[in-house]
Amino acid sequence: VAFEILSDDYSKLVFLNCDRHVEFHAQHGHYYKTRIPKFGRDFSYHYASCDLYFVGMSSEVYRLNLEQGRFLNSLQTDAVENNVCDINGVHNLFATGTSEGRVECWDPRVRNRVGMLDCALSSLTEGTVVHGLPSISALKFNGSLTMAVGTSTGQVLLYDLRSSQPLLVKDHFYNLPIKSLIFHDQLDLIVSADSKIIKIWSKDSGKLFSSIQPQTDINDVCMYPNSGMLFTANEDPKMNTFYIPALGPAPRWCSFLDSLTEELEESPECAVYDDYKFVTRKDLENLGLSHLVGSSLLRAYMHGYFMDIRLYHKVKTMANPFAYEEYRKDKIRQKIEESRTQRVQVQKLPKVNKELALKLMEEGDEEAELASRKKKGKALPSILGDDRFTVMFENPDFQVDEQSEEFRLLNPIVSKVGQKRKKKLRLLAQQEAAAQQAADEEEEPEGRASSEEESSDDDKSWVEEVREQRRLLHQEDRDRRRQERREADRNTVLLEREQGDGEKTESKKKTQPQFYQIKAGEEFRSFGDVTRKQKLQMASLEERLKLEENSGISNTVDTAVGSKQLTFSLKKSEQQRKQQQAEKEHHEERKKLRRSAGHLSSTRGRGRGRGRY
């Protein structure tokens, strides 16, 4: 429930537990445990007589003398229960706060009551709503004459012991018991806390200095001495730590906080041009103030000018007298749009990828319906509402090509589902046109048309659909090749006719230009290409592959999934060609300089050195 350190270090500690036990701890740990007659709520230590004063669910104040090791005679109060207690560190006056809203003061030397304060009546100020009898929930002495009292209704009373009337009453306005009271002597402030908020205010005037509102309930507040750091014991696994530089410096063991706060501190200096408006030369022309350039009314800055904000507003009003009317019309339009949201809404489709957007809408509706059936289910966010995919429904470059081979092979069911979606797309377009017409006439649409019943198509398996798409693609490929072959034959016949006519009119060919038909998309090289293509078509597959492999012609092969295979030969770099050319020239030069030795003959002799050469 409470604990206190009896020595200057951690060698002597006292703990008051919730089971009426009082434990004494030394440096090595647990030392002794005893028990008080009633459940305790708070205690204080009197250093002069080594007495522990315990208050709790009893009218008596129990005294335990640590020097003799025994209980002394209790102090009998007029209260039914006592909640808190404190001892003045200057003259050792003992005070206890009762559940009836009174504070009783005792002199430990004579064990007699020397005074009583009725704080319950004094806590009622003008405008205070009474919900019950306020009891004393916090008590704290400061100096020899000042005492602060906290009530269970959220008021803090500041007393001078020489007067029965409070000097100041501070209300937290939360109607919650005051949990902690701390005096900050450096700035003459009081730190008061309930379970919801911590308020720091002046003890002279009651003016609020600052406030802290954590996310969890507060049980107690501890302030590090001579600093601006606060610790809170709260309903959370971790304690909260707050640092307010205005209350004082950071402790020595965390002095880095001061440098951090200096970097994060915002300068209160105001901007130089707060009362000026920046305008460009184009703005001046629109306002008709171009003649002011160079005068003292305009200050040149960067690519424009600064002018007085009052002059700007005055000229703006004169230049556009109907600005208020436009603003009023915009507001009326917004109100009308807000009222239309209560009507039947028509789904609007984007301009790009309408069928994909309709598909995503259908999937989103299905997921929302499935999530509504489950108690804890949540629908996943849709792509249509994600900003990252906005371009896909606005830029025409992202339009899905449904006629491509990849789309037709990888989406075998699209053709069947697409027909239903196209019908719904036409229905939505009609609804959107009807809603637009109704909006123009300011008439509420009667409602959304019921969707037509769609005829059920014959269900085909995935394999059959893929086979059908393959057959269609092969058929299109054969038709395309047949068309190319016809074009090539026609070009060949035309070329032969032109060659036959050319032998007869050889003289005319020198003076007149000749025209030939070339297939679109092909680069003209020579007339031998046509003959080579015809020979290539008549050759077998093995001969064509070898010919393409030797000549380095790229070969593309279509597969079932729409991928491509490319065969190519490496091209030699410019440096390699120069090196080969230099080697070739070197060999030719050596061949020219080399002399033949065929006219020389050799005869081997019988003896050593007798040969004639």
Side-chain angles (χ1 to χ4, degrees), residues 230-248:
L230 294 172
F231 299 95
T232 62
N234 39 256
E235 295 294 334
D236 197 64
K238 293 184 179 181
M239 295 174 57
N240 286 334
T241 307
F242 301 97
Y243 175 55
I244 305 177
L247 294 179

Side-chain angles (χ1 to χ4, degrees), residues 7-211:
S7 59
D8 296 335
D9 54 4
Y10 65 96
S11 58
K12 295 180 182 179
L13 294 91
V14 181
F15 294 91
L16 175 62
N17 299 334
C18 60
D19 57 354
R20 296 190 298 160
H21 280 96
V22 179
E23 291 188 5
F24 297 88
H25 284 243
Q27 290 182 350
H28 57 80
H30 179 269
Y31 176 74
Y32 184 73
K33 181 168 68 173
T34 185
R35 192 168 63 174
I36 57 178
K38 298 290 184 179
F39 289 97
R41 293 178 178 174
D42 196 7
F43 73 93
S44 296
Y45 180 62
H46 186 229
Y47 285 89
S49 61
C50 297
D51 290 343
L52 279 174
Y53 290 82
F54 295 95
V55 297
M57 300 178 63
S58 174
S59 61
E60 296 180 348
V61 179
Y62 305 109
R63 295 192 302 156
L64 176 61
N65 187 272
L66 300 185
E67 183 180 6
Q68 302 177 16
R70 65 186 181 92
F71 283 95
L72 303 180
N73 293 331
S74 302
L75 303 179
Q76 184 66 41
T77 63
D78 295 339
V80 178
E81 295 178 353
N82 295 282
N83 296 330
V84 292
C85 64
D86 193 20
I87 295 179
N88 192 297
V90 179
H91 45 68
N92 295 325
L93 182 68
F94 173 76
T96 175
T98 67
S99 58
E100 289 82 6
R102 297 188 181 93
V103 175
E104 298 186 9
C105 299
W106 297 73
D107 189 353
R109 297 173 296 181
V110 295
R111 297 190 303 278
N112 292 329
R113 188 174 62 192
V114 296
M116 181 184 294
L117 291 174
D118 190 355
C119 301
L121 185 60
S122 301
S123 64
L124 300 177
T125 59
E126 185 178 356
T128 304
V129 180
V130 179
H131 296 281
L133 182 64
S135 60
I136 306 302
S137 60
L139 186 64
K140 190 70 175 179
F141 281 106
N142 181 40
S144 58
L145 298 176
T146 307
M147 180 181 65
V149 179
T151 64
S152 60
T153 55
Q155 290 85 24
V156 179
L157 294 82
L158 192 63
Y159 280 95
D160 189 321
L161 294 180
R162 297 169 293 184
S163 173
S164 60
Q165 298 297 324
L167 301 175
L168 184 66
V169 178
K170 182 69 175 179
D171 197 345
H172 273 216
F173 297 106
Y174 282 102
N175 201 26
L176 296 173
I178 303 298
K179 295 291 187 73
S180 175
L181 290 171
I182 302 174
F183 285 90
H184 192 274
D185 297 329
Q186 287 80 5
L187 299 178
D188 291 336
L189 301 175
I190 295 179
V191 182
S192 57
D194 55 23
S195 59
K196 190 176 184 64
I197 194 172
I198 303 172
K199 288 192 175 182
I200 306 172
W201 45 279
S202 173
K203 71 176 184 179
D204 297 329
S205 61
K207 185 178 179 181
L208 186 65
F209 179 81
S210 180
S211 63

Side-chain angles (χ1 to χ4, degrees), residues 533-544 547:
K533 287 182 180 180
Q534 290 180 351
K535 292 181 179 180
L536 187 61
Q537 290 176 359
M538 300 299 295
S540 63
L541 177 61
E542 182 180 3
E543 294 176 354
R544 278 186 287 173
L547 183 60

